Amino acid sequence: MQDPSTGPLANQATSSFTEHLQRSRPELLPFNQLLPAGTVPSSPHATTIVALTYAGGVLMAGDRRATMGNVIASRHIEKVFPADEYSVLGIAGTAGLAIDITRLFQVELEHYEKIEGTLLSLVGKANRLGAMIRGNLPMAMQGMAVIPLFAGFDHSSGIGRLFSYDVTGGRYEEQEHHSVGSGSVFARGALKKLWKPNLSEEAAVAVAVEALYDAADDDSATGGPDPVRQLWPVVYTVNRAGHRRVPERDLAAIAGAIVESRAIAGREA
Amino acid sequence: MTQQFYVSPEQLMKDRADFARKGIARGRSVVVISCADGIALIAENPSPSLHKIGEIYDKIAFAAVGKYNEFESLRQAGVRYADVRGYSYDREDVTARGLASVYAQSLGAVFTAEQKPFEVELAVAEVGATREQDHLYRLTFDGSIADENGFVVMGGLADQISDVVSGGWEPEITLAGAMRLALRALATDKEPDELPATAVEAAMLYRASESHRGSRRAFRRLLPEDMTRMLTEET
């Protein structure tokens, strides 16, 4: 498409919203800024995201806490978003940048869909996200890294798939489950014990909430279920029918059951 | 040395307009109807992949007649305009009025300054919370813009088709009713069974898509089977 022999018009044409912004309005991109010398002031960070596959789909959950140093910056932040009808992404790292990159990624997918009249393949979406994270590398070098987790339903193979990234935009397909953010080491330990092949959707939601509970137990930057404010993790499931946000009511019941079972067990760790 | 002939501006514009009108008149027609459930867009179009109707943004759709390459480039430019605007401000700041005026300016500039005017006619539709809040804009090849009430008919037999649509249109018409009316109108110059559901392209901008369909995006393309079901529905 970028072949110069195709003439000026075809040369201008791109199905990528990011490329279009790069050419016509580069100042609107979340990355691409020239940073002045000096230290970056502290900014809110979003932390733990977990994702796992279940029978017929994939699920992603994130806690609600953002921290700035040792202070809780927000108890209400959302870190898991629908990217389009059939995919979701979660973000850990510098919250402001991550939310902007998420917004750009959502427009990127919708823009492609409208221009081309067809959906991008799941791996195509995952690669576009990788390119955006690579675009953010200069900011990451200044300490403002954004690490996403991407999950979606792959219509060509009929399964839910899961992709993790590194700060250079490297994309890695994960099997079964994965977690990112500062509480991810604890969440991953929990996922290893709780995850089983062919989980039902309800069981998978419970596993994700319990893994976040374990992360919040040991990581001060991850928030646990908050019955005082009635705050529960944000959980999205994706299957053949598209994405769905798990209702607060269900999450309250699941979180309540976990807290109760732990209280009955009465164990220290 | 060759002498440059003098052509008066009036004559020049008239020739250009005649040229564009002829190009548009060769094409098949499109009908856009505002109805109780939203806005229905129906085009006579045997191709399943080269669309005359497209989604621009959450509540905004586009319909065109004329030269495919010309209106396709306008459609893509409209999607880019809307996406940049929605990304830099907010999704609700993208309006059909803004888009229509951008189209009017580019069509007007091409009509006066380029080698050849665009042989296209466009409709920009925005669905509102109630039928009174719907917006239908019609744009012609010279950049003229008109705010239509109820329905827009464009293309080859626009006058004939428009007569049929205006005869059957009423503010409370349902989606199925609007589709039947549009098909009847598009088939005016044909035998009644010459326009099957596979020969038309249809799409819909659903009113209150957030509560009914769980999405801000109101645009849905209707498949031939949806059309067939809708047309056989009880009135």
Side-chain angles (χ1 to χ4, degrees), chain B residues 85-136:
Chain B
R85 201 174 161 86
Y87 176 72
S88 58
Y89 298 112
D90 186 68
R91 294 193 82 93
E92 66 178 88
D93 297 311
V94 182
T95 60
R97 204 204 65 84
L99 178 70
S101 84
V102 169
Y103 277 145
Q105 284 174 35
S106 24
L107 284 168
V110 169
F111 182 72
T112 47
E114 295 294 315
Q115 280 271 306
K116 149 191 137 36
F118 275 176
E119 297 159 70
V120 296
E121 209 168 318
L122 312 179
V124 174
E126 179 178 6
V127 66
T130 63
R131 210 206 60 75
E132 288 71 37
Q133 287 166 347
D134 283 353
H135 291 290
L136 295 179

Side-chain angles (χ1 to χ4, degrees), chain B residues 9-26:
Chain B
E10 288 90 342
Q11 189 57 45
L12 191 69
M13 292 302 146
K14 195 179 162 297
D15 288 351
R16 281 169 170 254
D18 286 345
F19 169 81
R21 249 184 233 114
K22 260 183 222 158
I24 294 162
R26 273 196 295 272

Side-chain angles (χ1 to χ4, degrees), chain A residues 14 103 110-111 114-115, chain B residues 56 75 80 83 87 91:
Chain A
T14 165
R103 222 156 60 84
E110 190 188 316
H111 187 79
K114 288 189 289 195
I115 296 276
Chain B
I56 300 281
R75 183 187 70 85
R80 290 197 184 100
D83 278 347
Y87 176 72
R91 294 193 82 93

